[in-house]
Amino acid sequence: MTEETPGFEEQPDVPSGATSEDAESKAAEPKEGAAAPAGDATQTVGLTAELDQVRTALAERTADLQRLQAEFQNYRRRVERDRIAVKEIAIANLLTELLPVLDDIGRAREHGELVGGFKSVAESLETVAAKMGLQQFGKEGEPFDPTIHEALMHSYAPDVTETTCVAILQPGYRFGERTIRPARVAVAEPQPGAQTVKAEKADGNDGSSEVADKENGGPDEG
């Protein structure tokens, strides 16, 4: 019977050349073919679910950011468009107030009264108005257009084929695409019956053959 020394436990056999620490680490290693602990699989599933949630949240935040960016761009364009519209309205209102002065300058020029210092001031004012975008329109002989012309006088003329502006009583003005004031004109329409006569002449039948037939007692019979 072998006596056991108190305070000492049996140690596993350690190969020669190996330390006790190597033996302990080898003993702690899982054996080949052993199944992974169930806790690791559960942790992996949880991490995958959290990753999917993060990806979903990121996609939602990205979509929100893109929507906000698009709304901001639309807001900037709308503000810029409104700013330009307000500016154009302000300039158009100012130019409208200047139209009576420009009419006086035009009448003075027609009567030969635009001389001296008054002429220089008048031309400077017209130049400034033109730089601001004011354009004058309305010429004699152009077709009447009710969208830009205002007819104050009406007559008939045999030498026109359509309603025509025969006199410019007051020039019209526009600012960009906006008509500030239509041109006030006198118009002439074709003489009633003139189109019929012209059509007969174009066909080579001016009525002279009928007169000749009547004078000769009518066309020969048989």
Side-chain angles (χ1 to χ4, degrees):
M1 187 170 182
T2 307
E3 295 182 0
E4 294 182 358
T5 305
F8 291 92
E9 296 179 356
E10 291 187 8
Q11 299 293 333
D13 294 336
V14 179
S16 60
T19 63
S20 60
E21 293 179 356
D22 294 339
E24 292 177 358
S25 61
K26 185 175 181 181
E29 291 180 356
K31 297 181 178 180
E32 293 183 0
D40 293 345
T42 304
Q43 185 178 7
T44 301
V45 173
L47 291 176
T48 303
E50 291 181 3
L51 181 60
D52 292 338
Q53 292 178 356
V54 171
R55 288 175 177 173
T56 302
L58 178 61
E60 292 176 354
R61 299 299 179 270
T62 302
D64 293 340
L65 180 61
Q66 292 174 346
R67 183 171 59 255
L68 289 174
Q69 186 176 8
E71 291 177 356
F72 180 68
Q73 293 296 334
N74 293 333
Y75 169 76
R76 287 185 60 183
R77 285 193 291 267
R78 185 167 60 254
V79 169
E80 181 66 16
R81 184 171 60 250
D82 293 343
R83 184 186 67 82
I84 294 175
V86 170
K87 180 181 178 181
E88 290 179 351
I89 292 173
I91 295 176
N93 291 336
L94 173 61
L95 295 175
T96 301
E97 296 298 327
L98 291 177
L99 295 186
V101 180
L102 297 176
D103 291 336
D104 292 338
I105 293 174
R107 283 190 290 268
R109 182 178 287 112
E110 291 176 357
H111 292 84
E113 298 175 357
L114 198 63
V115 294
F118 178 59
K119 179 180 179 181
S120 300
V121 174
E123 291 176 349
S124 298
L125 180 60
E126 291 175 335
T127 301
V128 171
K131 287 183 178 180
M132 295 178 68
L134 185 66
Q135 299 177 355
Q136 180 178 313
F137 66 90
K139 295 181 180 180
E140 295 182 6
E142 63 185 7
F144 176 75
D145 184 352
T147 61
I148 60 174
H149 296 137
E150 180 182 354
L152 301 182
M153 298 178 64
H154 176 271
S155 62
Y156 294 97
D159 57 342
V160 296
T161 58
E162 60 181 341
T163 305
T164 305
C165 301
V166 295
I168 306 299
L169 306 178
Q170 204 171 41
Y173 290 96
R174 67 167 58 96
F175 172 67
E177 300 297 328
R178 186 194 307 269
T179 299
I180 298 179
R181 187 183 72 185
R184 292 164 181 169
V185 300
V187 300
E189 290 185 284
Q191 189 74 28
Q195 295 294 332
T196 304
V197 173
K198 289 182 179 180
E200 291 177 352
K201 289 182 178 179
D203 293 338
N205 181 14
D206 56 359
S208 59
S209 59
E210 295 180 0
V211 174
D213 289 341
K214 289 181 180 179
E215 291 178 352
N216 297 328
D220 294 337
E221 295 181 358

